[in-house]
Amino acid sequence: MMAHFDDKRRQFLQFAAFGTAAAAWPGFALAEMAKMTNAPSSAFKPDVEIELTARAGAVSIKPGAATRVFQYQGKLLKGPASTLTGMPGYLGPTLNLVHGQKVRIIFYNQLAESTVAHWHGLHVPQKMDGHPMYAINRGERYVYEFEVKNPAGTNWYHAHTHEMTATQVYQGLAGLITITDEQEQKLELPSGEYDLPIVIQDRRFTSDNQLLYLQHGMQERIRGFLGDTILINGQIDRIIPVKTRAYRLRLFNGSNSRIYKLGWEDGTPLTAIGTDGALLEKPETFPYIMLAPAERVELWVDFSGREPGSDLVLHSLEYHGVMPHMGGGMRGGRGMMRDGLGQGSKFPLVKFHIAGKTSESPQLPPVLSKFKRLTDRDVANPDKPIQIGLSMMHMSPELNHRSFEMLAVSEGEKIPVDTIQKIKIVQEDHAMRGRRGMGGGDGREGGGRRGGGMGMMMSMAHPIHLHGQQFQILSRLIQDQHGSGYETVKDGFINSGWKDTVLVMPGEEVTIIKPFQDYTGLYLYHCHNLEHEDMGMMRNFLVS
Ligand code: C2O
Ligand code: CU
């Protein structure tokens, strides 16, 4: 414990020595860093109390040897018995919370490395948000206390450790969070066995069933990890038995880097009822839906009319244009690997088997939720959006040409509390490439291009996530859509709901509107391609 404390202090002094931390946030006290473990607050009266432990374990995923994993294990100390539901495999228990509940999570680290837990999508105070500065060491405890301010929806939790988010999440440190509220309960959406979580992840295994992470060095890292085995709820070859009626599917992409293009094998359109953070205003149908890392989508799926005994397979469909393209050794714009599933190739995800007949089925509600559609009139900076520039110069994925610094914020990253801000997320490499006459690139033929190399700007899709409150998408602008592969993904973006992660395609500019209310402090924003996050494609906003 002591060694850890000294480490932390040394780390902090190091940051401070650069001057940036101290200059950017003089109020940040050393005393803060000294308080490495915290205590439950007696003023906080929890409705729900959970003990959550991160530990190493072994689970059976493939036939044969058990797979060594990291796991969250939960124990309910107080609150409704339905608060925790188990998930198969390595996934942590699902936390089923109610809007307005006061939640205390007593988190223990039993791993041999430091870790910290982040409640992805939830609007909580800075100290409860799982910033890497609050990581705890083996044997230490961190008490999270927050009120559930979010509306009904599907969120998740995961490790957020400095430069180790990708490896810890990959090894299993993730779980779902569902939230319900009164508005949602009135809708009588499919519940219980008809409300199914679908966590999609890709993994790679050794011949004795152990998890295999990056193997091919820097270029694989910059592209992001892509596994050759799809796991659904931590299991392989998943077949889900269903009845001839409507279901609510909560799909969540828990992969490090893989982007899915969800589509039914028989071409049936998908009916979305919810996005990352909340239900949509009304159901919307899509020919396919893009689901980038960290994104969630809730579907209304009606199996009535299907033949008992038949199957319906959900696929990831073919698409192009999201992978890095540049000269040099990079193989193929679709990230094809000798032995893997390329990014953008077509493969089955999960099979639904119509196992039983039933005649009762709920009706799809025409209206799901009510919320204010944010416009320029609501924002503090209609003409001066905050800019988040995405670039990958010299193999370094960056935000506004800066890498992550634990406590630093630049001028453009300071946000007054209780304001609503317009934020423009821009792919910078694209503009640069145009200016330099490096040519367009269609994302398919990257391997053949010459004259680039490591110093060249690369263009690839980034799923950008902002901590704190959910945001709305105001606009998407694509330059140079022709031949970019954009037409293979563009009809799969849901732009009408509350989001906390948005996929920004090469050459794209996405403008969002996001409230920064209630809480002050450091809130992260980053690429949720977890390899990029760990490489430093992350920064802080200081809300004050
Ligand atoms: Cu999923 Cu910074 O988080
Ligand atoms: Cu990225």
Side-chain angles (χ1 to χ4, degrees):
M1 222 141 138
M2 217 42 224
H4 175 63
F5 172 77
D6 285 345
D7 265 10
K8 281 277 172 179
R9 196 170 49 186
R10 203 174 321 115
Q11 211 178 21
F12 175 72
L13 292 174
Q14 212 173 19
F15 294 130
F18 277 107
T20 48
W25 194 10
F28 195 89
L30 265 173
E32 179 80 30
M33 295 304 292
K35 234 174 88 191
M36 283 341 310
T37 58
N38 63 352
S41 130
S42 52
F44 187 87
K45 304 271 174 268
D47 305 301
V48 166
E49 205 167 358
I50 297 164
E51 205 174 87
L52 194 71
T53 305
R55 56 182 285 275
V59 295
S60 176
I61 299 175
K62 302 184 86 173
T67 305
R68 288 186 296 277
V69 295
F70 288 172
Q71 273 184 301
Y72 288 122
Q73 288 198 333
K75 190 169 142 199
L76 185 65
L77 303 179
K78 181 181 180 189
S82 58
T83 304
L84 292 187
T85 47
M87 281 289 268
Y90 51 76
L91 289 166
T94 300
L95 315 184
N96 302 299
L97 307 177
V98 182
H99 176 82
Q101 266 177 345
K102 290 209 167 96
V103 180
R104 173 182 289 153
I105 298 169
I106 307 167
F107 178 58
Y108 294 96
N109 180 6
Q110 298 291 348
L111 296 168
E113 56 197 63
S114 70
T115 194
V116 61
H118 166 57
W119 323 100
H120 181 122
L122 268 56
H123 176 40
V124 300
Q126 174 210 276
K127 280 191 192 168
M128 305 301 153
D129 195 44
H131 192 288
M133 74 169 124
Y134 297 120
I136 54 167
N137 219 354
R138 184 188 185 108
E140 290 181 338
R141 176 186 80 167
Y142 197 97
V143 182
Y144 295 92
E145 293 173 338
F146 55 83
E147 183 186 327
V148 179
K149 293 209 173 199
N150 292 57
T154 306
N155 296 282
W156 63 298
Y157 62 103
H158 63 84
H160 214 304
T161 320
H162 185 52
E163 294 179 346
M164 295 196 295
T165 296
T167 52
Q168 293 189 346
V169 171
Y170 183 70
Q171 289 176 90
L173 293 185
L176 279 177
I177 300 174
T178 72
I179 295 173
T180 183
D181 61 17
E182 273 177 25
Q183 202 185 17
E184 182 209 41
Q185 279 163 15
K186 287 199 195 111
L187 298 173
E188 297 186 344
L189 296 172
S191 62
E193 62 175 304
Y194 309 117
D195 176 354
L196 299 176
I198 310 277
V199 179
I200 313 172
Q201 295 172 308
D202 58 341
R203 294 292 185 266
R204 190 172 277 270
F205 294 90
T206 63
S207 55
D208 64 339
N209 291 353
Q210 299 313 308
L211 290 170
L212 203 55
Y213 188 52
L214 297 175
Q215 300 161 273
H216 306 294
M218 196 54 166
Q219 293 191 348
E220 189 184 6
R221 199 165 182 226
I222 206 109
R223 184 201 59 198
F225 171 86
L226 295 174
D228 57 4
T229 307
I230 299 296
L231 300 184
I232 298 293
N233 298 341
Q235 299 167 294
I236 53 166
D237 300 329
R238 196 71 184 97
I239 301 174
I240 298 178
V242 292
K243 293 184 189 150
T244 53
R245 54 158 285 151
Y247 281 73
R248 175 184 191 172
L249 301 190
R250 301 172 190 256
L251 290 114
F252 156 54
N253 182 353
S255 311
N256 282 31
S257 296
R258 186 177 289 280
I259 301 164
Y260 302 94
K261 177 179 174 177
L262 308 171
W264 294 111
E265 64 170 337
D266 66 353
T268 302
L270 298 97
T271 303
I273 58 170
T275 41
D276 297 345
L279 293 172
L280 290 166
E281 289 176 295
K282 50 184 192 318
E284 287 178 50
T285 57
F286 296 86
Y288 57 84
I289 291 172
M290 300 304 296
L291 201 67
E295 284 188 308
R296 290 84 73 200
V297 63
E298 294 199 21
L299 298 182
W300 175 279
V301 183
D302 196 348
F303 296 103
S304 53
R306 300 218 172 242
E307 268 311 298
S310 67
D311 296 322
L312 185 62
V313 179
L314 185 68
H315 279 276
S316 187
L317 305 172
E318 185 171 334
Y319 63 86
H320 310 284
V322 308
M323 295 307 291
H325 30 277
M326 52 174 270
M330 225 65 178
R331 289 198 57 211
R334 278 156 57 189
M336 275 302 187
M337 291 175 298
R338 236 171 315 138
D339 51 350
L341 294 173
Q343 181 85 290
S345 59
K346 182 184 172 186
F347 51 85
L349 290 171
V350 54
K351 181 187 277 186
F352 294 89
H353 178 69
I354 319 299
K357 238 185 150 95
T358 175
S359 48
E360 46 90 42
S361 181
Q363 290 297 308
L364 176 60
V367 176
L368 297 162
S369 75
K370 288 203 171 62
F371 56 82
K372 185 173 159 59
R373 197 63 67 113
L374 299 172
T375 70
D376 264 0
R377 282 194 303 280
D378 301 298
V379 305
N381 59 343
D383 307 314
K384 273 178 57 193
I386 294 167
Q387 179 111 356
I388 302 180
L390 315 178
S391 65
M392 294 211 305
M393 196 70 165
H394 306 296
M395 300 291 267
S396 172
E398 294 180 342
L399 299 171
N400 293 330
H401 303 285
R402 289 191 178 92
S403 276
F404 181 60
E405 298 164 274
M406 188 65 80
L407 305 172
V409 284
S410 70
E411 264 317 300
E413 292 171 326
K414 294 179 183 170
I415 295 178
V417 67
D418 290 327
T419 59
I420 300 177
Q421 300 283 333
K422 183 150 123 180
I423 302 175
K424 197 190 267 185
I425 312 170
V426 192
Q427 287 269 10
E428 295 198 328
D429 41 7
H430 197 271
M432 295 281 286
R433 206 173 50 232
R435 219 173 299 147
R436 291 172 179 193
M438 284 173 177
D442 63 6
R444 277 179 240 193
E445 304 294 342
R449 197 159 292 117
R450 282 280 167 272
M454 299 302 170
M456 184 178 165
M457 278 288 202
M458 292 188 298
S459 203
M460 78 180 271
H462 300 280
I464 301 301
H465 168 52
L466 292 84
H467 285 216
Q469 276 156 296
Q470 303 270 326
F471 54 78
Q472 292 179 14
I473 295 173
L474 189 64
S475 64
R476 282 176 178 272
L477 257 174
I478 180 87
Q479 15 172 328
D480 195 11
Q481 127 156 228
H482 179 73
S484 64
Y486 195 71
E487 67 281 2
T488 67
V489 300
K490 69 175 170 46
D491 296 327
F493 297 126
I494 308 179
N495 298 318
S496 52
W498 289 102
K499 301 279 294 165
D500 58 51
T501 307
V502 61
L503 183 66
V504 184
M505 293 289 292
E508 201 173 30
E509 184 182 295
V510 179
T511 304
I512 64 172
I513 297 185
K514 176 173 155 64
F516 292 84
Q517 289 155 338
D518 308 324
Y519 305 127
T520 56
L522 290 185
Y523 284 89
L524 298 163
Y525 64 101
H526 58 89
C527 182
H528 222 293
N529 174 319
L530 293 183
E531 283 68 44
H532 290 183
E533 175 181 335
D534 281 356
M535 289 172 88
M537 198 174 188
M538 174 157 77
R539 294 285 303 172
N540 292 300
F541 282 127
L542 173 58
V543 184
S544 62

